[in-house]
Amino acid sequence: MALAHKGVDARTVGWHFGEKRLPAGLNRVPVLVDDGEVIGDSTEIALHLENKYHNGPSLFGGDGGEVHARFVVAWADTVLHPMLFPALALDVLAQVKPEAESYFRQTREARLGTTLERAAASKAEQVETVRAVLAPVRHVVEKREYLGGDEPSYADYAVFGAFQWARCVGGPEVVGATDPVHAWQERMLDLFDGLAREAKTAKDN
Ligand SMILES: N[C@@H](CCC(=O)N[C@@H](CS)C(=O)NCC(=O)O)C(=O)O
């Protein structure tokens, strides 16, 4: 989404858990390789794009926007994603290649403190908790089009990542159809000629 926002053409390469072909020193995706420069971590990638490509619209809207976006990213990473994960655990597992299943199970169960099956057992309640935790997002998007205001910003993409994750693994609907956050999700899916809507999902496998 950040690349599209900046109008930067890129070739995307899929990666599976356990594959050993990430650049040296990196063990997580996404990774951007830009003219030989290697950048890991979504926010670092967005900052790189913001600083290097001045033609496209700003992703952050200046220094204050960058600091606010960092707050939103930290909230998404420490609250939203961990709360959503139990509800998606088995859907993600179903997408993991057989050879990486035990790695995935081991690392994620250590993080959850329980088995993936037990974590996913209360899926409906977990989704309700996620819906409650989305209150700050709802508060903004029922009044404004995007977290960025009239236009989407990196803060929108950081939160949208969780929704796209659920969507792509064929997980439950994060929010109900009448939720203002659902309307925001639809706006996000429509951006850049439906770029995110076209992403491969579990149904395509
Ligand atoms: N906050 C980081 C999160 C990166 C991250 O956790 N990536 C996961 C995607 S599932 C990963 O690559 N995990 C590899 C692994 O657990 O081995 C970002 O947005 O770049």
Side-chain angles (χ1 to χ4, degrees), residues 15 17-18 22 27-30 40-43 73 77 103 107-108 111 154 165:
W15 177 87
F17 285 113
L22 290 177
N27 56 9
R28 300 203 290 183
V29 292
D41 186 79
S42 313
T43 306
V73 169
D77 285 352
Y103 164 78
T107 51
R108 272 50 186 182
R111 206 177 286 172
Y154 187 66
W165 182 30

Side-chain angles (χ1 to χ4, degrees), residues 64-77:
E66 182 190 319
V67 178
H68 286 173
R70 283 189 187 276
F71 175 87
V72 175
V73 169
W75 173 80
D77 285 352

Side-chain angles (χ1 to χ4, degrees), residues 27-198:
N27 56 9
R28 300 203 290 183
V29 292
V31 173
L32 178 73
V33 182
D34 184 4
D35 210 10
E37 199 175 344
V38 177
I39 304 117
D41 186 79
S42 313
T43 306
E44 291 306 316
I45 290 170
L47 287 165
H48 168 87
L49 297 173
E50 181 81 341
N51 295 331
K52 180 161 173 186
Y53 299 97
H54 300 290
N55 293 339
S58 170
L59 273 163
F60 295 95
D63 187 48
E66 182 190 319
V67 178
H68 286 173
R70 283 189 187 276
F71 175 87
V72 175
V73 169
W75 173 80
D77 285 352
T78 60
V79 179
L80 182 58
H81 279 86
M83 283 204 159
L84 185 57
F85 182 62
L88 303 186
L90 293 180
D91 301 303
V92 181
L93 178 69
Q95 299 307 314
V96 172
K97 291 212 167 190
E99 58 270 29
E101 265 178 31
S102 69
Y103 164 78
F104 179 79
R105 186 177 276 286
Q106 240 176 350
T107 51
R108 272 50 186 182
E109 290 187 346
R111 206 177 286 172
L112 289 164
T114 186
T115 63
L116 299 179
E117 285 74 13
R118 265 190 232 123
S122 51
K123 206 184 241 195
E125 284 155 44
Q126 209 68 40
V127 169
E128 280 311 312
T129 312
V130 171
R131 290 177 180 183
V133 109
L134 282 165
V137 176
R138 189 171 298 115
H139 190 76
V140 175
V141 300
E142 61 194 1
K143 295 188 191 70
R144 303 295 301 264
E145 294 281 291
Y146 301 103
L147 299 177
D150 295 336
E151 301 294 335
S153 72
Y154 187 66
D156 289 275
Y157 305 140
V159 175
F160 178 64
F163 288 74
Q164 191 68 346
W165 182 30
R167 195 173 168 272
C168 290
V169 297
E173 285 286 343
V174 180
V175 285
T178 58
D179 192 323
V181 181
H182 187 272
W184 165 84
Q185 183 188 4
E186 289 296 309
R187 288 196 284 281
M188 298 301 290
L189 287 165
D190 287 340
L191 289 174
F192 317 120
D193 299 322
L195 176 69
R197 222 179 265 289
E198 280 160 25

